[in-house]
Amino acid sequence: MSENLDQSSINEAGKSKSSDSEQGLEDVVEGSDEALQKKIKSGSPSTQRVQRPHSSPPRFVTVEELLETAKGVTNMALAHEIVINGDFQIKPVELPEDSLEKRVKDIVHKAFWDCLSVQLSEVPPTYDRAIKLVGEIKETLLSFLLPGHTRLRNQITEVLDLDLIKQEAENGALDISKLADFIIGVMGTLCAPVRDEDVKKLKDVKETVPLFRAIFSVLDLMKVDMANFAVSSIRPHLMQQSVEYERKQFQEFLEKQPNSLDFVTQWLQEATDDLMNQKYKNALPAAGGAAGSGDGPWLDPVAVQNYAYLKLLKWDHLHRPFPETVLMDHSRFQEFQLQLEQLTVLGAVLLVTFSMAAPGIASRADFAEKLKMIVKILLTDMHLPFFHLEDSLTAVGEKVCLEVSSCLSLCGLSPLTADKETVLKGQIQAVASPDNPIRRIVDSRILTFLDTYLASSHQKPSPIAPGGLGPIQKELEEVAVKFVRLVNYNKMVFSPYYDAILMSQQCLPELRATL
């Protein structure tokens, strides 16, 4: 695995500290292995202080301890999701139409609004429930305000003065429509642009009870908008604190469940064994340098970790438990694996096609892009249960032959002969087998590309895709960027544990001098 780094990027990452700015952390998360190691060493406790308990059976815990632990894991998972997922958003709760919870909710709400309607229909009207609703609206509007909204806060407090409203109701001088107009006006001032149309529609509701219901419905949406605004606002600050927070939460969990690193230990041990035995040459790209010495081969601990992360892209999720330290990102690694499997088949089909076609065809960027999009569409549902890869590749072969012959004709060349079409279709259909030589070559080159991305700095030009993968380089880069960012963040949090495991288990006899 390549460890050559631009010295300026190393120095820059080494100087950054987690408490300085969001950019410092992001640079390291997206940066190189060496820069990452400097950041870990400068911003985290020594690996000597991270105790990696020996494997032991789970101890008995009380219900209170279990609930406390679950709460800590939930909070850690939420913070992790906010930091890792830039598109993270809180969404309104939508109960299933036929669910018991929704039926109960609808019945309770209908009863409440019916009671309000009865009270307002009395002569004279009874405003007890209506005034309580105004009080709830007032508190909600005040919760939306920022510290600088002094004038608006005073207006809300003055106009929605519940004591004054009660007096007006008792004297028969309460004007509900006037209060509603003020509330709608404030909502229009505070709402996000996406809610402008919803607020505008409130002005068309004339009856009191439907108007109150509509106001509360829009306020619920505004609460979600405000919560998402708060999440986006705290994300830069959370980025600075999340590494230490997640490590602290995990350490507390580990102290209560000492065997919580057993699968991580097995994962790292397997990666070490694979590298030591040179098995990776047949399955995954080389992940570290080997120096010939009298004591045996030398393995870089960073290379072992990188190789271990690459193994997650080949994980048997049905039969093997996932390592504990990457469990919160289990679904993300599964998604990477599915995307890469699809790209492997896509790359193999294109490689076979352009190898069979005339040289001039492969060099036409417009045709290569068109053909790629056609094959991608036909492989869209590749990982769904009803999808049959063999049948789909039969259809792909037919379509590819038509497109290639059409392009050859436009270029003034002879279309594919019947024999060549038969051979091309057969080779495309053969890609369905994971043991197909072309597919295995593409798979190996994709992992080599990811390996290079893991070891390279983000300040350098993006690594060039290995030979034959040019047509899918854009898709590979999109996956690689997300994969590397996730891996580097995980290293920031858990590398002290990984180093301690490698040392305590004597996975790397020559490692002790390097840590």
Side-chain angles (χ1 to χ4, degrees), residues 239-286:
M239 282 285 292
Q240 300 169 19
Q241 306 298 329
S242 59
V243 170
E244 290 298 329
Y245 175 75
E246 287 193 36
R247 188 182 299 152
K248 178 183 176 182
Q249 291 290 320
F250 185 80
Q251 181 64 34
E252 293 176 357
F253 178 74
L254 185 61
E255 290 170 358
K256 296 174 181 177
Q257 296 291 328
N259 63 329
S260 297
L261 282 173
D262 287 357
F263 295 130
V264 172
T265 302
Q266 181 182 357
W267 169 49
L268 293 176
Q269 183 70 62
E270 288 179 2
T272 304
D273 292 343
D274 285 350
L275 291 176
M276 293 289 286
N277 296 327
Q278 299 296 307
K279 294 180 180 179
Y280 64 99
K281 289 184 177 180
N282 297 325
L284 295 171

Side-chain angles (χ1 to χ4, degrees), residues 393-394 397-398 401 420-430:
L393 287 178
T394 299
E398 296 287 347
C401 288
K420 281 191 174 183
E421 281 194 2
T422 301
V423 172
L424 179 55
K425 291 177 183 178
Q427 290 188 355
I428 290 176
Q429 193 159 14

